Amino acid sequence: MPDKRSPARRPTMKDIARRAGVSESAVSFALNGRPGVSESTRARVRRVAEQLGWRPSTAARALSGEGVATVGFVLARPADTLGVDSFFLHLVSGIQEVLAERHLGLLFQVARDVADECAVYRRWWAEHRVDGVLVVDPRAEDPRPGLLDELGLPAVVIGGAPGGRHPGLSTVWADDAGAMASVVDELAALGHRRIVHIAGLPGLAHTQRRIATLRAEAERRGLTGVRSVTTDYSDAEGAAVTRRVLGGSPPPTALIYDNDVMAVAGLAAAAELGFRVPRDVSVVSWEDSALCRMVTPRLSALSRDSAEFGRTAARELMALLDGGAARSVGVPVPRLTGRGSTASASTSPVGGHGAPPAAGAGDAHDGGSDAFVTT
């Protein structure tokens, strides 16, 4: 294991005083807008502070080095997709449960992208805003672990690969490959050979693991009508991609959705096209939720305790803040719960109803892209 780099040191008022050639009290007066220094000195001190990257602490406890009793959580996803994602609601509830036991606050922020998220971490670190952070949605090429390692900011990566490349950061991971293999096992046993995986964001590491596993399982079984299509997780793209793939010839006999919202939207889109679930097409949701149990037919889904996922991540961060060593911790593999949306594959490619619409019908807003096609 490579040695962990020494964390970067935050600039202090003493550093500013030394660089500006004034006393620490003069720096304090200048930066806090108090009288006692000339305007030229005030301007010089502020210029040096900016050059050094100094930021004011948000609390007296931070100035004394005692910490700020706050954990940071940044989410770099489209804001309009967050309110319908049950996974994050349960995840945050589990995180908050553990933080409340330690009287810690949770500082939450939505970022435009990963670069913006990294800027948030730098600002939080410089301003002493948080004691540690929880990182979600790991990417294949991810700058965040290296940055947090460099800053010396305790962090737990949620959903990363086991045994990550940054030994100073803990990882709490789920076996996406094992979960996808269990879904393919079930569908293959039901006779499905044309399976479409309606996946989430293409840059996420767990999306890529699921796509790679589906490809490998299809090749192992000789399934030729299997592919993945990436989306933004929204109900709009879930429905649009469903219309597009069911408009193909022959259409798939099974659909796997990466979250419950897309699965419910896909169920409605299939019905609009005249496909009967599960007679004509089986549907599986990656996330289980009340939504999956409220529709007709009720959706088969991968069930897991998302709140416990959050509790585990928060406990690992508490261990780091207490001086413990970084660890890689796995959570139980999601279990497929079969319900009314899965059945044996139909012997008719269109389920006996009228011919489905032409490919692409109704897809004006379809942002999905085919991740792979096995032939």
Side-chain angles (χ1 to χ4, degrees), residues 92-173:
V92 171
S93 71
I95 291 170
Q96 185 59 44
E97 183 179 331
V98 172
L99 298 185
E101 296 171 356
R102 297 280 292 264
H103 305 289
L104 297 176
L106 182 65
L107 180 58
F108 175 77
Q109 185 163 333
V110 176
R112 294 186 302 273
D113 49 34
V114 171
D116 187 31
E117 182 177 344
C118 287
V120 171
Y121 292 143
R122 289 186 182 278
R123 185 171 67 252
W124 281 354
W125 170 81
E127 296 175 355
H128 302 254
R129 293 289 296 275
V130 297
D131 297 317
V133 296
L134 295 161
V135 181
V136 295
D137 288 344
R139 268 73 172 175
E141 297 296 329
D142 201 329
R144 296 171 298 172
L147 170 62
L148 294 168
D149 216 11
E150 174 188 336
L151 297 177
L153 193 59
V156 173
V157 179
I158 301 173
R165 293 175 295 175
H166 297 274
L169 278 62
S170 286
T171 301
V172 176
W173 57 278

Side-chain angles (χ1 to χ4, degrees), residues 196-200 211 227-231 241 244-245 366 368-372:
V196 173
H197 168 215
I198 300 179
I211 289 173
R227 58 184 172 130
S228 290
V229 184
T230 56
T231 71
V241 172
R244 176 156 65 87
V245 299
D366 179 9
S369 59
D370 289 357
F372 75 92

Side-chain angles (χ1 to χ4, degrees), residues 3 20 31 33 48 76 84 114 134 141 189 241 253 258 286 302 318 338:
D3 292 336
L31 295 178
V48 169
V84 295
V114 171
L134 295 161
E141 297 296 329
V241 172
T253 62
D258 260 6
W286 193 276
L302 282 165
M318 296 304 99

Side-chain angles (χ1 to χ4, degrees), residues 66-97:
E66 296 177 0
V68 292
T70 302
V71 167
F73 183 85
V74 184
L75 194 54
R77 281 199 185 187
D80 58 358
T81 67
L82 301 182
V84 295
D85 197 324
S86 63
F87 170 75
F88 280 109
L89 296 177
H90 292 297
L91 182 77
V92 171
S93 71
I95 291 170
Q96 185 59 44
E97 183 179 331

Side-chain angles (χ1 to χ4, degrees), residues 266-347:
L267 185 70
E272 291 170 4
L273 295 176
F275 285 79
R276 292 158 294 184
V277 176
R279 177 174 172 178
D280 302 320
V281 61
S282 287
V283 171
V284 175
S285 169
W286 193 276
E287 296 292 341
D288 198 1
S289 72
L291 277 178
C292 297
R293 301 184 292 275
M294 292 170 63
V295 294
T296 301
R298 296 193 304 161
L299 294 178
S300 299
L302 282 165
S303 302
R304 61 176 169 181
D305 191 342
S306 300
E308 180 58 27
F309 205 170
R311 286 190 288 268
T312 300
R315 291 189 191 107
E316 290 304 312
L317 183 56
M318 296 304 99
L320 289 178
L321 295 179
D322 290 338
R327 304 197 308 161
S328 180
V329 179
V331 298
V333 179
R335 176 178 53 85
L336 181 61
T337 299
R339 299 193 180 102
S341 67
T342 47
S344 297
S346 172
T347 57

Side-chain angles (χ1 to χ4, degrees), residues 232-245:
D232 66 358
Y233 283 112
S234 70
D235 56 329
E237 285 204 6
V241 172
T242 300
R243 296 187 192 102
R244 176 156 65 87
V245 299

